[in-house]
């Protein structure tokens, strides 16, 4: 199943080329595309208590990175780069808390620098894709026009992992109709991904 948000090369290029003060619309669209997945990924990596602060910090750093052209697409995908930034920020926040609690005499910057170890890129990438898929599903289930029945069927059947027989019995439906509901919702998830890609490319 496709997920969103797919990386928009043209969006990244536009953000890079626009001077400060003239890139507001591009950044607003970037935020719309990526903020929900960024926050969910921060929570998944342990930043539950300050996920919003983590996202804002990463977003601020990302502005500088893309404006200055520091992101090199030949060295890896953008979403892997973004996911690693979020992971590092979560880890940084945890270490800040640990250093402060320990009342360490080592300067904070030095202690943090010694503690940072980049995780395997494959691990971060797989985790990011998993979170993005979950974000896409929740987007469809909570922000698109679905009947209460279809939403409940999908959550019970797919998310709670009940069998198709249990689902059909609980909602008084045929197995075929349960499958149709699942298929319709998953098509919407795919459509959301395509729509996001098109909207980004049109920036």
């Amino acid at each position: 199943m496709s997920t969103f948000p797919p990386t928009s090369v043209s969006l990244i290029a536009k953000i890079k080329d626009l001077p400060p003060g003239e890139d507001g619309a591009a950044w607003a669209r970037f935020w719309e595309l990526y903020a929900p997945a960024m926050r969910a990924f921060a929570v998944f990596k342990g930043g539950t208590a300050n996920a919003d602060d983590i996202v804002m910090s990463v977003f601020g750093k990302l502005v500088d990175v893309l404006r200055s052209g520091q992101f090199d697409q030949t060295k890896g995908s953008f979403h892997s780069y973004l996911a690693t930034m979020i992971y590092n920020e979560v880890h940084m926040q945890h270490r800040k808390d640990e250093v402060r609690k320990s009342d360490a005499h080592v300067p904070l910057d030095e202690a943090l620098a010694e503690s940072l170890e980049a995780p395997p890129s494959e691990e971060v990438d797989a985790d990011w894709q998993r979170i993005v898929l979950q974000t896409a599903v929740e987007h469809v289930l909570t922000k698109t026009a679905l009947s209460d029945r279809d939403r409940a069927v999908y959550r019970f059947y797919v998310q709670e992992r009940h069998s198709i027989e249990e689902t059909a019995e609980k909602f008084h439906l045929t197995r075929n109709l349960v499958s149709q509901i699942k298929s319709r919702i998953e098509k919407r998830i795919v459509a959301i991904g395509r729509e996001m890609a098109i909207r980004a490319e049109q920036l």
Side-chain angles (χ1 to χ4, degrees):
M1 181 189 301
S2 298
T3 60
F4 83 94
T7 302
S8 169
V9 175
S10 67
L11 175 58
I12 294 173
K14 183 167 186 176
I15 289 173
K16 175 185 174 183
D17 294 338
L18 286 172
E22 296 183 15
D23 53 2
W27 276 116
R29 188 59 56 86
F30 181 94
W31 180 261
E32 178 186 4
L33 288 169
Y34 286 93
M38 289 170 66
R39 189 184 190 285
F41 190 72
V43 170
F44 178 73
K45 285 300 182 182
T48 305
N50 52 355
D52 291 330
D53 291 339
I54 289 169
V55 171
M56 290 302 297
S57 177
V58 170
F59 184 73
K61 293 175 181 177
L62 203 58
V63 171
D64 292 335
V65 166
L66 295 186
R67 279 179 176 167
S68 63
Q70 294 177 41
F71 170 64
D72 185 353
Q73 296 179 39
T74 65
K75 295 182 179 180
S77 67
F78 174 74
H79 67 257
S80 293
Y81 183 85
L82 175 59
T84 300
M85 286 185 71
I86 298 169
Y87 176 93
N88 287 340
E89 188 66 27
V90 170
H91 190 58
M92 180 80 75
Q93 292 297 330
H94 280 223
R95 286 294 293 137
K96 281 182 180 179
D97 292 340
E98 291 174 6
V99 171
R100 291 191 180 104
K101 288 177 183 177
S102 67
D103 194 26
H105 296 293
V106 179
L108 182 60
D109 290 344
E110 182 180 336
L112 291 173
E114 291 175 353
S115 72
L116 286 177
E117 294 182 6
S121 59
E122 297 83 2
E123 174 188 330
V124 173
D125 191 58
D127 288 342
W128 171 258
Q129 294 291 355
R130 188 179 306 115
I131 290 301
V132 168
L133 174 59
Q134 293 173 7
T135 306
V137 170
E138 285 306 306
H139 178 91
V140 170
L141 292 179
T142 62
K143 297 182 180 180
T144 61
L146 287 175
S147 69
D148 291 339
R149 184 202 67 179
D150 286 4
R151 186 179 296 109
V153 166
Y154 189 85
R155 288 197 184 280
F156 187 81
Y157 179 34
V158 178
Q159 295 185 317
E160 298 176 19
R161 299 180 181 276
H162 292 280
S163 69
I164 192 169
E165 291 81 6
E166 291 173 321
T167 307
E169 181 179 355
K170 177 178 176 62
F171 293 95
H172 307 290
L173 303 171
T174 65
R175 292 178 54 180
N176 185 54
L177 186 52
V178 171
S179 295
Q180 289 178 15
I181 290 170
K182 176 177 179 288
S183 178
R184 284 201 301 267
I185 291 177
E186 290 183 345
K187 285 179 181 178
R188 289 192 181 197
I189 295 171
V190 172
I192 286 291
R194 290 173 179 164
E195 179 186 356
M196 300 292 268
I198 292 170
R199 289 171 64 191
E201 291 297 334
Q202 289 175 340
L203 284 174

